[in-house]
Amino acid sequence: MPAFGQAAVRAISLDITGTLLLHPKAPAAVYAEAAAWAQVSAPPSPAELSPAFKIAYRQCLERSPCFGGIEGITGKQWWARTVRTTFELCGRNYCNDELSRIFGRIYRFYGSSAGYEALPDAKPFLEWARAWRGGDLVLGVTSNTPSRTIDSALPATGLADYMSFFVCCESARAEKPAAALFAAAVQEAAHWAPGLR
């Protein structure tokens, strides 16, 4: 096997959630606050919503992988389905208008800086990586997150400016560990690091 040295490293691709960002509030708390804000009858508690959200999230990903990318629906439509399923699993069958208010509140929250927080070591690491070897290292993200995280959360937390390429499962229509997702990342990174393979 050939030796692998630092000079061979031309690009680093990072995940987003849990690597660069975290959610400061649990989804169940966000969903409960949105239901209370929407003034629906018998809004479920975070304790009810927590297991329901986990089941709904898994079911919706199984039904429509890559946050709707494979099915051909938008990430927003995928999340609306997930919100509806979460509340239905709590035994709440709210009308479309009520669900629209709840969903809008949740969707706006996760589209704002309040929905995400940079991990304490994210910016120091990115600063170090950007300066390493005179700044010739290409940085990017390859993630199983929806495109909205790349479009909203990374810029809102100031981390997008460190990145040259962005690849997510929704747009690539493949999830980790599928080779297709990593191939898309290499293709994007190669624009910034010609000859990368």
Side-chain angles (χ1 to χ4, degrees):
M1 177 176 269
F4 179 78
Q6 291 182 1
V9 178
R10 299 185 54 213
I12 294 178
S13 181
L14 303 161
D15 201 349
I16 299 175
T17 307
T19 302
L20 298 172
L21 303 176
L22 59 81
H23 296 290
K25 276 188 179 179
V30 175
Y31 280 45
E33 289 171 11
W37 172 86
Q39 299 178 349
V40 294
S41 62
S45 69
E48 289 176 273
L49 284 159
S50 184
F53 171 76
K54 290 174 186 172
I55 293 167
Y57 184 83
R58 188 181 68 248
Q59 285 178 352
C60 289
L61 276 179
E62 288 170 0
R63 176 180 173 190
S64 186
C66 301
F67 300 95
I70 292 176
E71 183 183 349
I73 63 171
T74 67
K76 187 172 185 176
Q77 290 169 316
W78 187 93
W79 279 110
R81 180 186 291 164
T82 303
V83 168
R84 176 183 292 277
T85 304
T86 299
F87 283 94
E88 287 173 352
L89 288 169
C90 289
R92 308 312 197 280
N93 293 304
Y94 297 126
C95 72
N96 288 338
D97 287 344
E98 291 170 320
L99 280 168
S100 180
R101 285 193 295 276
I102 294 168
F103 171 70
R105 182 76 168 191
I106 294 167
Y107 198 74
R108 285 187 297 276
F109 176 81
Y110 286 112
S112 74
S113 59
Y116 297 89
E117 184 177 297
L119 286 163
D121 57 354
K123 282 188 181 182
F125 170 77
L126 294 171
E127 290 285 348
W128 170 84
R130 187 159 62 177
W132 189 51
R133 291 193 331 218
D136 70 341
L137 186 66
V138 176
L139 298 174
V141 295
T142 305
S143 183
N144 279 351
T145 59
S147 59
R148 188 153 190 259
T149 306
I150 289 172
D151 297 340
S152 299
L154 286 177
T157 56
L159 300 183
D161 294 338
Y162 294 93
M163 307 299 171
S164 296
F165 66 93
F166 305 87
V167 177
C168 71
C169 68
E170 185 181 343
S171 57
R173 296 181 176 196
E175 295 176 331
K176 293 178 190 175
L181 184 66
F182 294 104
V186 169
Q187 182 178 350
E188 288 295 317
H191 174 78
W192 305 99
L196 183 73
R197 45 186 181 90

